[in-house]
Amino acid sequence: MTSTASSSEERARPQPIEAVPVRHPGRWLAVAVLAVLAAMLVNTILTNPGFRWPVVGEYLFSPPVLNGLRNTLILTVLSMAIGVVGGVALAVMRLSPNPVLSGVAALYIWLFRGTPLIAQLLFWNFLAALYPRLSLGVPFGPEFISFDTNTLINQFAACLLGLGLNEAAYMAEIVRGGLLSVDEGQSEAAGALGMSRAQTLRRIVLPQAMRVIIPPTGNETISMLKTTSLVVVIGYFELLTSVQRIYSTNFQTIPLLIVAAIWYLALTSILSVGQGFVERHYGRGTSRGDTGARLFFPRRNPEQSAGAV
Amino acid sequence: MTAPMVEALDIHKSFGHVEVLRGVDLTVMPGEVACVIGPSGSGKSTFLRCINHLERIDAGRMRVNGELIGYREHGGKLHELRESEVARQRREIGMVFQRFNLFPHKTAAENVMEAPRTVRREPRQAARRRAEALLDRVGLAEKYDSYPAQLSGGQQQRVAIARALAMEPRLMLFDEPTSALDPELVGEVLDVMRQLARDGMTMVVVTHEMGFAREVGDTLVFMDGGRIVEAGDPRNVLTDPQHERTKAFLSKVL
C-alpha cells in the first residue's frame, strides 16, 4: 500500500494549462457598433452649428452664471447640512422607546414627505401672510422680542427652510435604515460593557450604520444640486435660473443649457469622488474596506483587500 | 461566611406566551465556576442574560454581589433602575457572546480600550497600555492593530474576553463561547478561560464542552424546560446523573 502523501511528493509538478481561450465574437461586434455610434455623436457635436460652442465658451465663466453656480452650491451644502443633522435626530427619535418622541418624528416625516416641495417652499416664503410677526416669549404671556416675519425669513432663509426641512424627512428614513442594519449584538455588547444608549449610538452603532447611510446620501446630495432649481418659484435664483434668464433675452437656449449641464456634471463628478473617500473611511475593518465608490470602473483586484485569516 | 456572587431566586421569564424560565434558583460563590448545560431551548442562555439584565425578569430576584439587579427595593416596592444605574451594575459583570460581537470598525486594541475610554474616561495612553497587557494575557501580543475581520474565530473570541476583562469585572458570563468556532480553535479559547478560572474569577459558563465542565467547573447545572433539573459536582453529575432527563441528555452528548 502506497501512502498518497509520499507519492504526491515524488510526482513532478504538471505543466501549467495553456488552453486556447473561448472566443467572444459578440464582444467585437458590440465594439464595432458602439464605435460607429460614438463617431457619429462626436461628428454631430462638432459639426452641427446649432450647438454654438463659441457661445458656450463665452457664457461658461460669465458672472451671472458663476453667481447662479455659487447660489446652487450654497443652497446644496446648507440644505444638506440641515437635512443630515435633522435626519439623524429624527431617525434616533423614531427608534426611541419613548412613544412621544417616536410619534412626533413619524408625524414630521409623514407631513414633509407627503406634501410637494414646491408647496413647502411657497409656504415658508408666504409665512408672513399667516404670521406677520414672530416673537419669543412666554406662551400665552408676555413677549420678549418680536420680529417682522418678512425681515427674519427672507427669500434665502425660506429656500433653506423649504429644502432643508424637506430633506430631513427623507434623510431620517435613510439614517433609520442604516441604524437598523447594524446587528443587535453590537448594542448588546456595548450595553454589557456598561456603555449608555447615547454612547452606544455615537461610538458603536452610528459609525457602522454610516456604510449603509452614505451611498443613498450621495444620491440625495446629487439630487439636491438639481432640486435647488425649484427656488425659482419664490423668486430666488441659482444656476439653472441664471441661464434661463440669459436665454430668455438672447434666445441661445441650447448653448446655455449646455453651460448648465457642464457645471452640474462637474459638481456631480466632484461629489462622487468625495463620496468614495468618505466610504473608504467608514469601510475600515470590513473585508470590503477599500471598495469605495468608483465613478465608472469597478476595482480590478478584489483579492487585494484583506480577507479573514 | 462570604456573600454569594450570584444569587438567583425563583427567576421567571416569558417571551410573549412562551414561558422560557419557570423558577430558576442558583447560587454561585465568589471564585466559583458554574457550568450550565442543557438542550437548546432549555432557557440556559436566557437565564445567563437575566444575570446582567440584558433580559428583564418577570418574577423572582436576581442579586449580584448582594445587589439587586435592575431594580431597587424601597418601602416594600420594587422601583425600576434608571438606564445609567443599570449601566453601572453591568460594569461589574463581563459578558462573552457566542457570536463574539466585536466592534468590526475598531482594531483589537481599540475594542478592548472602548469601554475604559468612554465609560471610565481613562486617558488614551493608560487605556492602550492596559489593552496591550490584556491582549498579551490572552495570547494575542501580535494582533493589537488587527481588525476583527482579519482574525480567526478563536482569536476574535479571545479579544472579546480581553474586552470584557478591561472593565475589571467581578463576574464573567460566557454564553456558549466556543459554539461558533471551528473544532481546532476551541482549545485556545478554553485555555484562556481555564487560566481565568485558575486566577480566581467567578464565572457562569453556558457550554456544550463537557470536558471543560468536568475539569474546570465547581458546579454543573443541567437545565431543561426552563428549570434546573439537576446541579452538583460536575464529576458526579456527569458520571452518575440522578434524573432520567439528565441521563437521556448526557447519553446523547457524551
Side-chain angles (χ1 to χ4, degrees):
Chain A
M1 220 177 119
T2 35
S3 85
T4 47
S6 66
S7 69
S8 69
E9 273 166 28
E10 287 155 18
R11 202 187 289 169
R13 197 184 152 79
Q15 282 292 311
I17 293 174
E18 280 177 29
V20 180
V22 175
R23 303 294 177 200
H24 298 283
R27 287 186 192 173
W28 291 106
L29 189 67
V31 165
V33 170
L34 286 174
V36 171
L37 287 175
M40 285 168 72
L41 185 67
V42 170
N43 181 51
T44 175
I45 285 173
L46 292 178
T47 58
N48 187 336
F51 280 105
R52 300 216 185 93
W53 291 106
V55 181
V56 171
E58 186 187 326
Y59 280 103
L60 194 56
F61 294 101
S62 73
V65 169
L66 290 184
N67 255 339
L69 178 68
R70 193 200 58 207
N71 277 0
T72 293
L73 274 175
I74 292 175
L75 284 174
T76 303
V77 168
L78 292 182
S79 357
M80 279 313 292
I82 296 173
V84 168
V85 173
V88 171
L90 284 166
V92 171
M93 284 167 68
R94 188 82 184 81
L95 294 173
S96 153
N98 180 335
V100 179
L101 286 182
S102 173
V104 167
L107 191 69
Y108 179 100
I109 293 167
W110 172 76
L111 183 66
F112 280 82
R113 284 199 311 182
T115 52
L117 177 53
I118 291 186
Q120 291 174 30
L121 282 165
L122 289 167
F123 174 83
W124 293 114
N125 195 46
F126 295 120
L127 192 64
L130 206 53
Y131 301 103
R133 299 194 68 77
L134 296 175
S135 52
L136 270 177
V138 182
F140 306 107
E143 294 175 357
F144 301 135
I145 340 171
S146 170
F147 302 96
D148 176 44
T149 303
N150 274 334
T151 325
L152 191 67
I153 301 181
N154 56 16
Q155 269 178 342
F156 178 70
C159 293
L160 278 190
L161 281 172
L163 294 170
L165 295 183
N166 181 265
E167 185 57 35
Y170 286 93
M171 282 304 303
E173 288 295 276
I174 291 174
V175 174
R176 189 169 69 95
L179 294 177
L180 290 177
S181 76
V182 178
D183 183 49
E184 255 186 295
Q186 294 289 309
S187 312
E188 280 187 356
L193 286 166
M195 292 170 72
S196 69
R197 241 178 74 87
Q199 285 169 337
T200 304
L201 179 74
R202 201 178 67 244
R203 309 261 322 162
I204 306 300
V205 177
L206 204 49
Q208 294 181 60
M210 288 305 272
R211 290 182 54 227
V212 179
I213 292 172
I214 287 165
T217 305
N219 259 355
E220 290 292 307
T221 313
I222 287 168
S223 164
M224 180 62 86
L225 267 181
K226 290 155 285 179
T227 307
T228 51
S229 58
L230 287 183
V231 300
V232 69
V233 298
I234 56 175
Y236 203 62
F237 74 102
E238 44 63 76
L239 183 55
L240 194 63
T241 328
S242 304
V243 304
Q244 280 172 334
R245 281 182 191 170
I246 299 170
Y247 71 63
S248 66
T249 56
N250 69 3
F251 304 109
Q252 305 280 7
T253 311
I254 296 291
L256 278 155
L257 287 178
I258 291 175
V259 167
I262 289 173
W263 278 118
Y264 280 123
L265 283 174
L267 294 179
T268 304
S269 312
I270 294 170
L271 283 174
S272 305
V273 172
Q275 184 183 338
F277 282 110
V278 179
E279 280 187 21
R280 225 157 306 155
H281 173 76
Y282 284 107
R284 272 172 312 164
T286 59
S287 51
R288 290 179 297 168
D290 53 356
T291 313
R294 295 286 181 294
L295 195 46
F296 296 114
F297 298 106
R299 170 168 278 260
R300 273 286 171 71
N301 297 322
E303 307 91 338
Q304 279 179 351
S305 58
V309 174
Chain B
M1 181 75 199
T2 49
M5 182 60 78
V6 179
E7 195 180 18
L9 286 173
D10 203 15
I11 304 292
H12 287 259
K13 170 75 191 172
S14 300
F15 292 113
H17 296 297
V18 186
E19 200 175 11
V20 183
L21 299 179
R22 307 158 183 247
V24 176
D25 297 274
L26 182 70
T27 304
V28 183
M29 298 307 287
E32 200 182 332
V33 176
C35 293
V36 185
I37 60 169
S40 52
S42 60
K44 53 195 194 304
S45 282
T46 304
F47 173 68
L48 195 74
R49 293 160 60 84
C50 288
I51 298 179
N52 67 351
H53 206 55
L54 277 182
E55 304 291 352
R56 172 198 301 259
I57 57 177
D58 297 333
R61 296 285 186 276
M62 182 69 79
R63 284 194 177 79
V64 171
N65 206 23
E67 196 179 345
L68 203 57
I69 292 294
Y71 300 92
R72 184 189 308 110
E73 210 155 15
H74 186 69
K77 270 179 114 175
L78 280 186
H79 299 258
E80 258 181 67
L81 290 186
R82 272 194 305 252
E83 183 210 314
S84 58
E85 296 168 306
V86 174
R88 182 184 53 72
Q89 292 185 328
R90 284 182 179 156
R91 280 167 218 167
E92 310 268 296
I93 308 170
M95 186 160 194
V96 174
F97 298 87
Q98 181 179 356
R99 309 231 21 109
F100 326 137
N101 294 349
L102 289 182
F103 307 134
H105 59 305
K106 293 178 181 294
T107 63
E110 285 168 351
N111 263 279
V112 180
M113 289 160 68
E114 182 61 28
R117 292 271 296 137
T118 53
V119 177
R120 291 208 303 216
R121 308 254 164 239
E122 239 174 72
R124 173 176 294 279
Q125 301 291 329
R128 172 82 193 191
R129 266 196 305 276
R130 283 208 314 117
E132 289 180 357
L134 282 165
L135 287 172
D136 292 349
R137 189 168 155 196
V138 297
L140 290 173
E142 308 296 307
K143 301 291 184 183
Y144 299 153
D145 298 315
S146 299
Y147 284 99
Q150 297 166 320
L151 299 173
S152 72
Q155 291 170 331
Q156 288 188 54
Q157 193 60 297
R158 286 186 280 151
V159 174
I161 294 173
R163 179 176 70 173
L165 291 175
M167 291 302 281
E168 293 166 335
R170 296 160 182 254
L171 167 68
M172 285 283 283
L173 308 177
F174 292 84
D175 188 4
E176 302 196 25
T178 56
S179 297
L181 297 177
D182 290 341
E184 83 267 25
L185 302 178
V186 169
E188 60 190 63
V189 172
L190 292 182
D191 283 342
V192 169
M193 291 168 63
R194 203 171 283 131
Q195 186 57 48
L196 205 54
R198 225 171 281 149
D199 294 345
M201 177 64 76
T202 315
M203 294 161 57
V204 181
V205 186
V206 172
T207 187
H208 295 295
E209 297 294 329
M210 299 304 157
F212 176 84
R214 183 202 309 265
E215 183 199 342
V216 182
D218 299 299
T219 317
L220 184 66
V221 178
F222 173 66
M223 279 183 74
D224 191 21
R227 286 196 184 89
I228 291 180
V229 176
E230 192 164 349
D233 186 287
R235 277 153 291 258
N236 297 342
V237 177
L238 288 172
T239 51
D240 183 26
Q242 299 301 306
H243 288 259
E244 285 307 317
R245 293 233 291 287
T246 320
K247 280 178 196 162
F249 176 76
L250 289 177
S251 73
K252 278 182 213 145
V253 297
L254 284 180

